[in-house]
Amino acid sequence: MSITTVPKPIAGTSSFLDDRLGGGNFLRRNLRKIFPDHWSFLLGEIALYSFIVLLLTGTFLTFFFKPSMGEVPYEGSYEPLKGIMMSEAYASTLHISFDVRGGLLMRQMHHWAALLFVGGMMVHSLRVFFTGAYRKPRELNWLIGVLLLTLALFEGLTGYSLPDDLLSGAGLRITEGVAISLPLVGTWITFFLFGGEYPGEDVISRFYSLHILLIPGILLALISAHLILMWVQKHTQMPGKGRTNENVVGAPFYPAFMVKAGAYTMFTFGVIALLGAFAQINPIWLFGPYTPADISAGSQPDFYMGFLEGSLRLMPPWEINIAGFTLPMSVLIPALVPMGIIMTGLALYPFIEQWVTGDRREHHIADRPRNNPHRTSIGMAAVTFYGVLWLLGANDELASFFHVSLNATTYVGRVMVFLGPAIAYYVTYRVCLGLQRSDAAVIGHGVESGVIKRLPNGEYIEVHVPPNPVMEAHVRGKAPVPVLPGADGDGERDGVPPKQLRGPLGRLRVKLSRAYGGEKVPLDDGHGHGEEHAAIGSGEDRSLTH
């Protein structure tokens, strides 16, 4: 079937709807929309399908969960807690786990889906960042994605706190400490959330409303907007043969992409179901009900909150006292600064890059990360910053397992949170340049054939052959990183830079643009040798050995 042929199911449905709703042209156009085919584009779909699982399992759990902090004695089937006073929230969670058919499976699937949802969005964001897919005209969709990731963290925090067990209560205590440390509004926010002095009587019911109504509603609206914008805008695609900024090479939405997406949905659902069935997570019956007087050793939050836990553990005990008021910097800085650096940096980066390079063109061909070494290095520095904080969120476990001083892990972490990103930046930049030189060698020398040739002077060389046309097109899709007009000196008149590049800010833009942009390793820098490109013939005119 050719790509222009409309299958009968589409033609029949389109005719039916067109006769009644006038939507035939809309369906014909959109069902044949072309989707590019690359494995990295599936990363965002993991988050989407995990969100669907979250909605389904969360709906099931709402039938049995009681969002109340009222004290009741436990009378369920878990014998070790029989007769223990606990909140209705904790008791109902135990009821779901032990007395509702399929309840524990649904609980664990819900938790695993939440982890996969956040993890999928993180990896998808990295893919978009490293390939430059956030550039014009996709800046708005990028901002929606950053907001989705931020809201997902808060959605996870509210859901994680609902069982009211000892582990989640410890995290809730930290949340209360962060909220009350905020200047001016901290006390009001704390009393609003908890309904009075900690732990109050209302925090579970209010987190429940946020978790099942407000935040999911916003997430659903933003995901819909994200998908609509993705559909309306031309898809990005990796560089390759026949791919330009004016076309999209791939398969149509119907039937190819629909079948693939349906299978991938089932695969994601199956993986989450297997994890829920065989990989225990959050066994709240082992932790016991939350009481403010108790705390457990080795308690860790879910992975997406680990970096905030790490920043809190690494922060020195600083505070500022002004006019009888205390600013607990040891809480404010770790709670607000790492999140602010990562999320604000993500949101502003497309516009900062546009300001530095002056590039306002539309981009529909994604970059290979190696071809923009500074962007890739900045991304890896941010990943390292996050990773160090995440790792040090378990500094007590690290110290215990490796039998080292807890203070030593803390001091090393305080150094590495600054030194680590700098090292990652330098190493990544050098790796990117090395990979660019490798690409230039492929274009200039060709690829190794595995055939050894003896030259008349007795020298042995390996015969290189031209690269596969598909591979060569992929490599030649590289384009120099744009530079500000005039920043390279071409726009100067009699040595005078353009007006917009004068002054301190303009000179800063010029320096940044020259460093960030330009061609680092030209593809024609391969210095190929004619002898290495000798054609491989029948073998009668040459001496070969393997």
Side-chain angles (χ1 to χ4, degrees):
M1 180 187 295
S2 71
I3 198 171
T4 58
T5 303
V6 180
K8 289 184 178 180
I10 295 180
T13 305
S14 300
S15 299
F16 178 87
L17 293 177
D18 197 32
D19 293 341
R20 293 157 179 80
L21 303 175
N25 289 331
F26 173 82
L27 280 178
R28 277 192 294 268
R29 182 175 66 252
N30 285 282
L31 288 177
R32 301 302 283 172
K33 182 177 176 65
I34 301 300
F35 279 74
D37 189 11
H38 193 269
W39 67 267
S40 65
F41 297 157
L42 298 176
L43 296 172
E45 293 178 36
I46 294 176
L48 175 62
Y49 305 146
S50 299
F51 184 70
I52 295 172
V53 176
L54 278 172
L55 294 179
L56 296 174
T57 55
T59 302
F60 176 90
L61 295 175
T62 58
F63 295 146
F64 307 98
F65 182 73
K66 297 180 181 178
S68 170
M69 297 184 71
E71 291 285 314
V72 296
Y74 179 66
E75 300 295 341
S77 59
Y78 186 63
E79 291 294 334
L81 293 177
K82 280 272 190 174
I84 300 295
M85 296 299 294
M86 58 185 63
S87 67
E88 287 191 273
Y90 186 66
S92 64
T93 309
L94 291 175
H95 175 70
I96 293 171
S97 302
F98 293 108
D99 300 307
V100 174
R101 188 179 296 274
L104 182 58
L105 176 64
M106 290 295 107
R107 264 198 65 232
Q108 299 203 147
M109 284 183 62
H110 191 72
H111 204 126
W112 279 115
L115 299 183
L116 205 57
F117 176 56
V118 179
M121 280 198 292
M122 286 181 173
V123 179
H124 175 62
S125 299
L126 290 176
R127 197 278 299 177
V128 173
F129 179 85
F130 285 126
T131 61
Y134 53 77
R135 292 172 294 179
K136 184 180 179 181
R138 297 174 184 84
E139 302 97 330
L140 181 58
N141 225 9
W142 172 254
L143 291 177
I144 291 175
V146 173
L147 184 56
L148 276 170
L149 181 56
T150 306
L151 284 173
L153 299 183
F154 287 102
E155 174 74 346
L157 173 65
T158 56
Y160 178 80
S161 304
L162 290 181
D164 198 32
D165 60 285
L166 185 58
L167 182 61
S168 66
L172 202 56
R173 182 59 162 165
I174 296 175
T175 303
E176 185 264 347
V178 171
I180 204 169
S181 68
L182 297 174
L184 301 178
V185 298
T187 305
W188 184 88
I189 290 176
T190 305
F191 272 65
F192 172 77
L193 282 179
F194 293 90
E197 289 284 354
Y198 180 85
E201 297 291 336
D202 299 327
V203 65
I204 297 299
S205 60
R206 290 177 180 176
F207 269 30
Y208 185 69
S209 299
L210 292 173
H211 185 72
I212 71 164
L213 291 175
L214 182 61
I215 300 179
I218 298 174
L219 285 173
L220 193 58
L222 289 175
I223 289 173
S224 300
H226 193 73
L227 294 176
I228 290 171
L229 279 175
M230 180 273 296
W231 189 277
V232 170
Q233 295 169 341
K234 188 182 295 183
H235 294 283
T236 59
Q237 55 188 346
M238 299 302 292
K241 190 174 183 179
R243 297 172 183 176
T244 68
N245 269 314
E246 285 71 41
N247 69 357
V248 178
V249 177
F253 178 69
Y254 180 89
F257 186 79
M258 286 181 67
V259 172
K260 186 161 56 177
Y264 204 50
T265 302
M266 293 296 102
F267 179 78
T268 305
F269 181 87
V271 169
I272 293 173
L274 289 173
L275 287 171
F278 297 109
Q280 185 183 74
I281 189 168
N282 200 24
I284 60 163
W285 53 90
L286 299 181
F287 308 142
Y290 177 67
T291 60
D294 294 334
I295 189 66
S296 60
S299 58
Q300 308 295 329
D302 283 334
F303 85 93
Y304 49 84
M305 285 296 180
F307 76 108
L308 294 179
E309 176 82 5
S311 64
L312 191 63
R313 296 188 183 202
L314 292 182
M315 185 67 192
W318 294 348
E319 63 180 36
I320 299 175
N321 295 291
I322 303 176
F325 294 94
T326 300
L327 287 178
M329 308 306 292
S330 57
V331 177
L332 280 175
I333 290 178
L336 302 180
V337 172
M339 178 78 82
I341 290 175
I342 294 173
M343 295 304 176
T344 305
L346 285 173
L348 295 181
Y349 194 86
F351 308 99
I352 295 173
E353 184 180 75
Q354 192 176 91
W355 180 76
V356 169
T357 62
D359 182 16
R360 301 184 181 277
R361 300 169 299 169
E362 288 194 1
H363 292 272
H364 303 294
I365 297 292
D367 288 337
R368 300 173 76 198
R370 67 185 67 181
N371 292 338
N372 193 319
H374 281 294
R375 178 208 293 148
T376 304
S377 301
I378 290 170
M380 287 307 300
V383 169
T384 304
F385 174 73
Y386 175 92
V388 170
L389 291 178
W390 174 82
L391 184 65
L392 270 297
N395 64 345
D396 55 343
E397 294 288 340
L398 292 173
S400 174
F401 184 81
F402 291 105
H403 304 288
V404 297
S405 166
L406 178 62
N407 287 337
T409 62
T410 302
Y411 294 140
V412 169
R414 289 174 180 173
V415 173
M416 289 306 298
V417 77
F418 297 103
L419 184 60
I423 294 174
Y425 186 98
Y426 176 79
V427 170
T428 303
Y429 187 78
R430 302 309 305 176
V431 169
C432 287
L433 293 187
L435 291 173
Q436 286 193 40
R437 292 190 183 98
S438 175
D439 288 342
V442 167
I443 298 301
H445 293 277
V447 296
E448 298 171 349
S449 66
V451 177
I452 305 301
K453 180 178 181 180
R454 183 179 181 182
L455 301 181
N457 62 2
E459 178 186 1
Y460 288 90
I461 64 170
E462 182 174 13
V463 176
H464 284 59
V465 296
N468 180 284
V470 175
M471 175 184 178
E472 183 175 5
H474 186 60
V475 173
R476 288 193 180 277
K478 174 186 178 184
V481 180
V483 181
L484 276 173
D488 54 3
D490 294 340
E492 296 184 3
R493 178 179 298 176
D494 299 326
V496 179
K499 183 177 180 180
Q500 68 271 21
L501 302 183
R502 302 172 195 170
L505 187 60
R507 289 194 293 271
L508 175 63
R509 285 186 70 190
V510 168
K511 291 180 180 179
L512 290 175
S513 188
R514 285 174 178 169
Y516 187 87
E519 184 66 275
K520 309 302 181 186
V521 180
L523 281 179
D524 58 1
D525 202 22
H527 308 298
H529 301 288
E531 289 290 345
E532 297 185 15
H533 290 280
I536 301 177
S538 62
E540 298 176 357
D541 57 344
R542 54 194 170 86
S543 174
L544 297 178
T545 189
H546 286 276

